[in-house]
Structure formats: structure tokens, C-alpha cells
Amino acid sequence: MGIEGVMDWRAEAASALNWWRDAGVDVLVEDDPRDWTARPAPTAQPETPGRPVPSGPEPEAPLPATIEAFLDWRYGSGAPEAATGEPLAPAEGDHTAPLMVVTDLPEFDGAAPALLDGAAGKLFDRILAAIGQSRESIYLVSLCATRPITGQVPRDLDEKLGEILRHHIALAAPQRLLLLGQATSRAVLGTDADKNREGLTPFNYSGGKSDVVAIRHPRFLLNKPAAKADAWKDLQLLIGGQSL
């Protein structure tokens, strides 16, 4: 092979060395094996200073700020009771009525839960008539929108339902508020119904207040007729010579 063959070999070797150099080879031998054709690992991006790292559960969304939006949410799939799968009993009447009445739970004397139905509902209608009211003239709501099999407000929802009820009252802003039963009295006033006989109790909220009377629930009055006299005295505070 002559001089021309030697020059061809050297040209081929130089071409190969140039290829390896372009591929990133910069040493002949290393202690550890290395893949010269592998892509470089991505470098970690530095954290932005002063930016807090989120931790823990996200805060709950605030309750709707208008009565219309609140009612859509309260009796829809987002309500706390909706997760139980039990049917919801919505509020009844005009939310602008001057008298708002709050019961603890719907009754379940028929095919579906309803507010103050059955025997308790009939007694309630007589109570309304005695103070010059009817279901058409009031706004009727419940603390819990479902009727659990226990017949009581679920303890795990008690605090949340109380918060929702107080927000509901503030949005409706009634002149007077009639609370039926111990659960509703504790949710709004923080005390039992039979401990509020000193006169109308104010319930204050942002933008106003409502005068409150709390009495025993009609279910209780059916079982304890002697308690009706005390309930009537409390109702006298509600009408108090003023028209609603």
C-alpha cells in the first residue's frame, strides 16, 4: 500500500476522531462507564423566593352571598346532607316574609320528607292561626334538610348545619324568627328553647338583626300537652302587640 494508502487511512482516522469529538467525547478513558450519546439530565429549577409552598387541605369555598344563589346550593348536590343519598326537603314560602320559622328536621309521614307534616304539622298550623299567621305568610326552613333514620340532626354535621342556618337567616333578614325545638335554638342562640323566656332575644348578623322566640317543637308538645301553656306564653312575646 503506498503513500496514497497511508494518507487515506489517516484521513479516515481524523474523520472518526472528529465524529467522536462532535458527539462529546473529551477523554480517552474514565473510571466509570459513560453513555456518550445520552441526553443530559434536566437541571432542577430553583424555587421562587418568597412564594409559600401550599400544604394541607384547601380551604372551603365561602357560602353563596345572595339568597338566590344560596338556595340553589342549599338544596342541590353541594349541600352537606346530599352525600347521605336521602331526599332533601327545601324551604317553603317567600324568603322575604317578615316571619321566618325554623324546624329541626323534615317529617317523614308520607312518601317523601316534608316540613312539619302529619300530626306535628297540624298542631303547627293551629299555632300559626293562633298568632294570626298561616303557611302562606311565613318562610319555613329546616336546620337539616334530610330526615335521618335516627330522627335527629347528625352530630357530625351539627356545627356545619348551624353555620349554614345562621347564614340563611342573615340572607333572608326576617323581622321575627320562631325557632322550634332544642336543636334549632342551640344552633342559633346557643341555648335550649326553654331558657329564653325573658323576652324577645335579638339575633345579630352583619347588616341587621332579628327578634327571636324559641319554643318546644310541636312533636314535643304532642307528647307533653302540659307544655303548651309555656309555648303560648312564648308566642305572646312573638306577636307582642305588633303586626308582622
Side-chain angles (χ1 to χ4, degrees):
M1 186 167 63
I3 296 299
E4 183 179 351
V6 173
M7 294 300 294
D8 290 344
W9 175 83
R10 288 178 178 176
E12 291 177 1
S15 176
L17 289 174
N18 288 335
W19 187 92
W20 284 110
R21 184 187 61 201
D22 293 341
V25 177
D26 54 6
V27 296
L28 181 62
V29 177
E30 283 189 338
D31 293 335
D32 298 322
R34 177 175 176 183
D35 185 358
W36 292 99
T37 61
R39 293 183 178 181
T43 58
Q45 296 295 326
E47 293 185 4
T48 304
R51 188 175 183 177
V53 178
S55 61
E58 294 185 2
E60 293 185 7
L63 295 173
T66 67
I67 187 68
E68 293 80 10
F70 174 82
L71 293 176
D72 287 342
W73 170 84
R74 182 68 185 92
Y75 302 110
S77 59
E81 306 97 320
T84 66
E86 298 291 334
L88 304 178
E92 299 178 5
D94 183 359
H95 64 78
T96 66
L99 176 60
M100 182 175 182
V101 181
V102 185
T103 184
D104 53 358
L105 301 161
E107 313 301 319
F108 214 154
D109 293 341
L115 303 186
L116 291 165
D117 196 12
K122 292 178 180 177
L123 177 56
F124 174 65
D125 289 338
R126 294 198 296 271
I127 290 173
L128 288 179
I131 60 173
Q133 300 291 318
S134 67
R135 293 195 185 228
E136 290 72 28
S137 65
I138 67 168
Y139 183 46
L140 178 60
V141 307
S142 60
L143 171 62
C144 181
T146 59
R147 176 81 183 186
I149 193 170
T150 60
Q152 296 180 337
V153 177
R155 289 192 175 183
D156 59 330
L157 293 179
D158 190 54
E159 183 176 347
K160 183 63 178 178
L161 293 177
E163 175 191 352
I164 292 171
L165 174 59
R166 294 188 294 272
H167 186 73
H168 196 166
I169 295 169
L171 291 177
Q175 294 176 20
R176 301 286 176 86
L177 189 62
L178 175 60
L179 306 177
L180 304 178
Q182 307 287 43
T184 60
S185 180
R186 286 193 292 265
V188 177
L189 301 176
T191 59
D192 290 341
D194 53 3
K195 295 180 180 179
N196 296 288
R197 294 209 178 101
E198 301 300 324
L200 291 173
T201 303
F203 172 66
N204 299 297
Y205 46 85
S206 177
K209 75 177 183 69
S210 299
D211 293 326
V212 185
V213 167
I215 67 170
R216 292 285 191 169
H217 199 281
R219 291 188 220 102
F220 181 89
L221 299 179
L222 287 172
N223 294 324
K224 302 286 185 181
K228 291 181 180 180
D230 288 333
W232 175 242
K233 292 177 183 178
D234 296 336
L235 290 169
Q236 294 286 71
L237 295 172
L238 184 68
I239 53 180
Q242 300 182 22
S243 60
L244 292 171

